[in-house]
Amino acid sequence: MAKKPKSDRRIFHNNEDCPVRNVVAQIGDKWSLLILFALVDGSDRFNALKSRIEGISQRMLTQTLRDLEREGYVNRTVYPEVPVRVEYALTELGRDLVKPLYKLVCWADEHQQEIHRARRSYDEKS
Amino acid sequence: MAKKPKSDRRIFHNNEDCPVRNVVAQIGDKWSLLILFALVDGSDRFNALKSRIEGISQRMLTQTLRDLEREGYVNRTVYPEVPVRVEYALTELGRDLVKPLYKLVCWADEHQQEIHRARRSYDEKS
DNA sequence: CAGCATCCGCCACGATACTG
DNA sequence: CAGTATCGTGGCGGATGCTG
C-alpha cells in the first residue's frame, strides 16, 4: 500500500479545521506566547504583567488577554476592592497548552547557536 | 531559598536572546509552519508546494522559503535542467524543529472541541 | 518552471488621552 | 488600578506583470 499522496493531507486546507492554521492563528501573534509564559508561575495582576513583559502596550495586553480568555487559556478574576484588583491566571487548558510550547521554546534555546551560524553562513553567501 | 522573582526571568526581555521572542519571530508568521509541515514527508518543488499549500501566493512562498533557508531549516537545490527544477527539503535542523512543532499541532488538534466550547461560552456571556 | 519587481490596501500595533 | 476610545502608521501580504 502506498502512502497517502501529499496533496491529500488535511493539514494544508484553508479552513478552521486545519490544526496547523489554528495554531498559527492562536499563538502566532506577537504577544500571546509571552503572556502565557508570564502566567506559568502563578496568577498576576494587569499592571504587574505589563511591567514584566517588556515592550507591551496597555492596549495589546488587554486585547491579547481577552483573546486568550476567549480561547479558554486564561481566567480573569475581578476583586471588587478599592481600588479594583484584577488577577489573571492560566486555566487548566492553558497550563496544558504551555507544556508543548515549553518544549518548543527549549528546543529553540538549545539550538540558538546553530541557527545563528546558519544565518551568518547564509548572509555571507549573498 | 525563595524562588527567583518573576521579573528576573530572562524569558521576557526584549532582545534577541529571549527564546520565546525568537520562536515567535521565526515561526509566528502566516506561512512558516505550513511550509515546514509540507516538507516533512520529503522534498518538493516550488510549484508543487504552491499548489499544496492552499492560499499561499508566489511572493510569500518565495519569501518564507528564503527565511527558512536562512535560519537553516530548509535546503534549496537547483537542478540545471531545462526547464530548471528546484527542490526544497528540510535540513536535519528543520526535521528536528518539526518534532516539538508536531507535538504542539497534535495538542491543538486534540483540544479543538474544548477550545470551540470555550469560545462559544465566552461569546454568549458578552 | 521558478522566480523578481512593483504597487497598494489593510490591519496589527503603538501612542495618547480619557474613565469607572 | 485597570482598563476603554481614538487616531496614525509601518509593514505584512495580495495582485499583477515581467524574466532567465
Side-chain angles (χ1 to χ4, degrees):
Chain A
M1 272 302 298
K3 58 178 180 178
K4 265 188 180 177
K6 290 172 184 176
S7 52
D8 257 15
R9 314 196 119 243
R10 204 171 117 267
I11 221 166
F12 304 113
H13 287 197
N14 188 7
N15 60 47
E16 61 174 18
D17 285 340
C18 169
V20 178
R21 300 200 192 233
N22 278 335
V23 166
V24 174
Q26 283 177 36
I27 56 158
D29 64 294
K30 196 171 176 184
W31 301 110
S32 289
L33 276 194
L34 286 164
I35 295 179
L36 289 174
F37 279 99
L39 290 173
V40 161
D41 292 329
S43 67
D44 212 349
R45 309 178 57 166
F46 185 86
N47 278 330
L49 281 172
K50 183 167 173 338
S51 56
R52 284 175 55 219
I53 303 174
E54 199 179 328
I56 195 168
S57 67
Q58 214 167 41
R59 173 193 162 83
M60 289 317 295
L61 181 55
T62 305
Q63 189 172 305
T64 313
L65 279 169
R66 293 292 176 277
D67 290 343
L68 294 173
E69 197 191 347
R70 180 167 184 267
E71 308 295 324
Y73 299 140
V74 163
N75 260 331
R76 178 175 183 269
T77 313
V78 182
Y79 298 91
E81 311 168 350
V82 180
V84 65
R85 181 166 57 104
V86 179
E87 293 258 353
Y88 292 91
L90 293 184
T91 61
E92 203 183 321
L93 191 66
R95 280 192 300 276
D96 206 47
L97 168 62
V98 169
K99 292 174 193 170
L101 287 178
Y102 187 68
K103 301 255 188 194
L104 178 61
V105 170
C106 286
W107 186 94
D109 208 18
E110 284 163 18
H111 293 78
Q112 270 193 31
Q113 301 306 323
E114 272 179 88
I115 294 162
H116 276 87
R117 246 185 290 126
R119 249 196 292 244
R120 273 199 308 277
S121 147
Y122 181 93
D123 291 346
E124 279 168 17
K125 277 183 233 163
S126 56
Chain B
M1 270 310 299
K3 58 178 181 178
K4 265 188 181 176
K6 290 173 182 175
S7 51
D8 256 18
R9 314 195 118 245
R10 206 171 116 267
I11 223 167
F12 302 114
H13 287 197
N14 188 8
N15 59 48
E16 62 174 18
D17 286 340
C18 168
V20 179
R21 301 200 191 232
N22 279 336
V23 166
V24 174
Q26 284 177 36
I27 57 159
D29 64 293
K30 196 170 174 183
W31 300 109
S32 289
L33 276 193
L34 286 164
I35 295 178
L36 289 175
F37 279 98
L39 290 173
V40 161
D41 293 329
S43 67
D44 210 351
R45 310 178 56 167
F46 185 86
N47 278 330
L49 282 172
K50 183 167 171 343
S51 57
R52 283 174 55 218
I53 303 175
E54 199 178 327
I56 196 169
S57 67
Q58 215 167 42
R59 172 192 161 84
M60 290 316 295
L61 181 55
T62 305
Q63 188 172 305
T64 313
L65 280 169
R66 291 295 175 278
D67 290 344
L68 293 174
E69 197 191 347
R70 180 167 185 267
E71 309 295 324
Y73 300 141
V74 162
N75 258 332
R76 178 175 183 270
T77 312
V78 183
Y79 298 91
E81 311 168 348
V82 181
V84 66
R85 181 166 57 104
V86 180
E87 294 258 353
Y88 292 92
L90 293 184
T91 61
E92 203 183 320
L93 190 66
R95 279 192 301 277
D96 206 46
L97 168 61
V98 169
K99 291 175 193 169
L101 287 178
Y102 187 68
K103 301 255 187 192
L104 178 62
V105 170
C106 286
W107 186 94
D109 208 18
E110 285 162 17
H111 294 78
Q112 271 192 32
Q113 302 305 323
E114 273 178 86
I115 294 162
H116 276 85
R117 247 184 289 127
R119 251 196 290 244
R120 273 199 308 276
S121 148
Y122 181 93
D123 291 346
E124 279 166 16
K125 278 182 235 165
S126 57

